[in-house]
Structure formats: structure tokens, C-alpha cells
Amino acid sequence: MRAICYHQYGPPSVLHLCDLDEQPLPPGHVRVAMQAAGVAPVDTKLRAGRLQHLVALDLPKVPGRDGAGVITALGEGVHTLQVGEAVCVMPSMAGRGTTLAELVLPQEQVVRKPDVLSMQQAAALLQPACSAWIALMQTAPIAAGMKVFIHAGSGAVGSLMVQLAAHLGAEVTASCRSSNVEYVAALGASRVLAYDRDELGRVLDQDVVIDLVGGAAHDQSYRMLRRGGQLVWLVAAPIRERGEEFGVCVRRALIVEDQSILQQVAALAQQGVWRPAVSGVLPMQEIARAHQRIEAGEVTRGRLVLDIG
């Protein structure tokens, strides 16, 4: 069975096509013929070995956290899904990824593909949308009228956060590079600042700041908040916790694998609340190029997607 894998940590060149044995189909699992896979920044960090302290991988590793395909077989006890259905999948980070011809997954990691999305869009949905949903619906619940600032509002996660926060009635301000300002405004942000042109220090009295960057952006976020506000971060970059100094609550949005969240994410896409952006589509065998582009900072809108043909 054809797949992309790597046998050791290293640069993008460690990624290569390989043949793997077909997986058995245990009870409660489904077999999916994969058609598309999203490529996320976390995939590049895992491959480079930068997250070994957080995620223990079994090598060889098949990368990919997001994907879409069609169910070809059901294990015993699966009653809510059907053979022939198009689905989105989000495998465990430590398990086999989505750059695989056929993937066997627990039914809890599979949801029906929203009809309004293409296969490529569906492959870019679950991981970033789950991150957005957990941050804005659970970690710092957003209500109408709240002032929300989102760092990196044009990326795969940030763009969905902008759409969701606007849908919830928040007054959304977002940052991005200057070439993406009009794009982020069209997503629903009422104000967009270019971090390579504008002074972010004029943003004040926010109820919630979402940090998708870390480092200097995290330090800057404290001054943007009103006292009693909330700073939510998702990145693995080192941060300096200064919540007590500024009188704000600092929380990390922990991304969990919960089928009820996957279903709500898919439902919001079906309702047209948000659309995942696809920045480009490459053949699966060009995954190293995709990783190189992400690491070079060339992907500033949405998600790169691999075509598994």
C-alpha cells in the first residue's frame, strides 16, 4: 500500500514514497480510501524532531493530521457511517497520518464531509477548525459585542477563527502581512493591521487576544488586553507568562480528539459559517516541496493540500 513516510527525523528530504502492509480492520474502525491530505506546520515540526518532548512517534511515521476520502469498509459495530460516504478524517498525532492510500481509523476520528466543500477543502478543515472551535467556544468563550484580537489572521487556523468570531458577533481585529489585509477583512474582521507595516501597539482594551505566533507577539499581547481579559495561546514556541503582572488570565487551548467537536466543526462548514482556505494543491509525491514552502514562510493563507491520486 502506497504511502509517504519518514524513517528518521530530519529535513524535508527524509520524506519519501514507501509501501506499507495493509492494516487490519478492527471492530469500531473504518477503512478510508484517501483522496486529499492537508499539510500543517505541526507536520514539519514533528518531522524535524522539534516536538519529541511532547509527542512520541513510532518510526517510520506517515505524516498528515487532516484528510478526506471515501469509506470502503466498516468494522464490526460501526452503524453511523456507510460504505461509499465521503468523509473528513483527523487521525491521532502519534498514529498513522493521512498521506496514505488507505487509512484505517477509529470511527471517532471520522465525520461526514460537508456537501458544500470540495475534497481539497475538506482535507484542510478539521485540525484548524477544531483549534478555532476549542479556543473560541471553550477556552475563552466568545459572546456578541466582545473585542477579540487574532494574531496571524490569514493562516489556516487564524482565518477560521476570524470567521467564527465574526459569526458569534464579536468585534474582530486581526493581524497579518500587508499583502493579506484585504483577504482577512473579507473574512469578517472589522479592523486588520499589517504586522510588517502598522503599529500593533495602538490595539488596546481587548477582551480576548488569541496568540497563534508566540515569542514577541505573545509579549506584545499583554498590553492589548484590558485588566481581567484573556490571553489564549496555541503554539509550542516558548512564552513568558506575565498574566499576574498585567492582571489577565493566560490559558492554553488544548486540542483534543473529540468526535462531538468534529461533528460541530463539520456542521458549521455545512451551514456556511466558515470555509477553509486552500492555498495550493500539490501531488502527494511532492510533499517535501510542501514542507519546504511552509518552513520558508511562503504559505500565508490557509492550507497546502496534497492530491492523493
Side-chain angles (χ1 to χ4, degrees):
M1 182 173 55
R2 188 183 59 167
I4 297 291
C5 64
Y6 53 93
H7 287 73
Q8 63 188 43
Y9 298 115
S13 59
V14 301
L15 294 160
H16 61 277
L17 280 168
C18 60
D19 289 317
L20 300 177
D21 293 336
E22 185 176 288
Q23 295 173 280
L25 185 61
H29 288 59
V30 300
R31 190 183 304 279
V32 180
M34 298 302 298
Q35 295 189 10
V39 185
V42 70
D43 297 326
T44 70
K45 295 173 184 177
L46 287 169
R47 185 220 71 235
R50 292 168 56 191
L51 300 182
Q52 293 182 62
H53 62 295
L54 296 175
V55 182
L57 299 181
D58 290 328
L59 299 177
K61 166 66 175 172
V62 176
R65 185 83 159 116
D66 273 308
V70 175
I71 293 177
T72 58
L74 305 176
E76 182 182 351
V78 178
H79 304 297
T80 59
L81 297 166
Q82 298 179 8
V83 170
E85 280 190 317
V87 292
C88 305
V89 304
M90 192 173 99
S92 167
M93 193 176 294
R96 283 193 170 185
T98 53
T99 51
L100 191 63
E102 286 192 339
L103 186 59
V104 172
L105 290 166
Q107 60 182 323
E108 293 79 16
Q109 297 174 6
V110 179
V111 292
R112 291 183 181 86
K113 182 183 80 66
D115 297 335
V116 296
L117 300 185
S118 68
M119 277 292 183
Q120 288 78 19
Q121 288 175 312
L125 174 67
L126 291 187
Q127 187 272 335
C130 283
S131 299
W133 195 95
I134 289 170
L136 299 183
M137 302 292 285
Q138 288 187 336
T139 311
I142 302 302
M146 292 177 67
K147 295 181 179 180
V148 179
F149 183 90
I150 300 169
H151 287 281
S154 66
V157 177
S159 61
L160 292 176
M161 284 187 168
V162 169
Q163 293 173 67
L164 180 57
H167 170 72
L168 294 171
E171 180 183 319
V172 182
T173 304
S175 68
C176 61
R177 66 174 56 179
S178 53
S179 59
N180 288 327
V181 166
E182 291 184 5
Y183 166 71
V184 175
L187 297 175
S190 56
R191 181 164 62 150
V192 185
L193 300 177
Y195 60 74
D196 55 351
R197 183 188 65 198
D198 301 322
E199 176 54 57
L200 300 188
R202 56 183 170 151
V203 179
L204 300 170
D205 299 321
Q206 300 297 295
D207 296 297
V208 177
V209 171
I210 305 294
D211 173 22
L212 300 173
V213 182
H218 186 86
D219 286 339
Q220 192 174 39
S221 297
Y222 290 98
R223 292 179 173 82
M224 296 178 171
L225 286 159
R226 62 169 176 79
R227 293 193 70 82
Q230 298 186 75
L231 172 53
V232 178
W233 63 282
L234 289 83
V235 295
I239 67 166
R240 183 162 57 118
E241 222 277 27
R242 303 173 68 189
E244 186 174 350
E245 176 185 350
F246 284 89
V248 302
C249 177
V250 182
R251 300 179 67 188
R252 182 180 182 183
L254 296 174
I255 310 308
V256 297
E257 294 152 12
D258 184 323
Q259 191 183 41
S260 67
I261 295 176
L262 300 186
Q263 291 171 338
Q264 292 178 78
V265 160
L268 287 171
Q270 183 65 36
Q271 295 162 19
V273 170
W274 52 19
R275 287 284 184 275
V278 176
S279 61
V281 180
L282 296 171
M284 185 173 77
Q285 59 268 29
E286 293 188 26
I287 186 173
R289 180 181 164 204
H291 278 227
Q292 290 167 351
R293 288 186 60 188
I294 290 172
E295 291 178 328
E298 296 176 7
V299 182
T300 63
R301 293 188 187 183
R303 191 71 95 215
L304 276 177
V305 172
L306 301 175
D307 181 21
I308 305 176

